[in-house]
Amino acid sequence: MNALPLDLIIGPHRAGQYIRERVQQLVTADCIPEARAVDMVCTAVLAGDPWTLADPGQTWIPHDEPSQERDGLLAAELYVAQRRGATVLVEDEWAQRAWRPVTVLDGYVLDSWHWARQGTTTER
């Protein structure tokens, strides 16, 4: 298997841990067979799916389309401060924070993950 984009951002060991956690959530919460859950999570990670990837401590930058409006936000980058289920508390480059649906990140790609904030918990 080729390296996942997540491998390049956080390294293959942590990427593997993260993927295993997401797979376990699907298996436990949604009763999805493990093989199918692995396929679903890896496909979502490869696609850069914010629903699967968005977690506190991440910085997301816009896709190559700078004129695309993103849920009222035209930020050069968004920092994910918190996540609660289907919403994220994002901070833009002007330090403006707002709770938005995870889909606000659809116009963005995951750029970096600040592991210093890994003590932050999320509610999924």
Side-chain angles (χ1 to χ4, degrees):
M1 177 181 227
N2 292 335
L4 297 172
L6 197 56
D7 290 347
L8 303 174
I9 295 172
I10 61 174
H13 179 71
R14 285 194 168 151
Q17 287 177 321
Y18 187 80
I19 289 170
R20 280 190 298 278
E21 290 170 7
R22 297 299 159 268
V23 166
Q24 191 58 45
Q25 286 175 346
L26 288 176
V27 169
T28 302
D30 298 327
C31 299
I32 295 174
E34 186 172 359
R36 178 68 182 128
V38 168
D39 181 55
M40 290 171 64
V41 170
C42 287
T43 298
V45 167
L46 282 170
D49 175 44
W51 184 260
T52 302
L53 291 174
D55 249 5
Q58 297 173 336
T59 300
W60 291 68
I61 59 173
H63 284 286
D64 293 332
E65 304 126 17
S67 63
Q68 179 182 2
E69 185 172 337
R70 293 164 195 88
D71 194 31
L73 295 174
L74 296 174
E77 68 178 36
L78 291 176
Y79 176 76
V80 178
Q82 294 181 40
R83 177 166 180 181
R84 290 190 189 137
T87 60
V88 287
L89 178 61
V90 292
E91 181 177 309
D92 63 21
E93 66 266 28
W94 303 287
Q96 299 295 313
R97 286 186 167 199
W99 282 99
R100 301 287 183 163
V102 172
T103 56
V104 73
L105 298 171
D106 283 343
Y108 293 80
V109 294
L110 179 59
D111 182 59
S112 62
W113 202 330
H114 308 281
W115 285 98
R117 297 185 52 104
Q118 74 182 8
T120 304
T121 59
T122 59
E123 298 173 22
R124 291 190 182 260

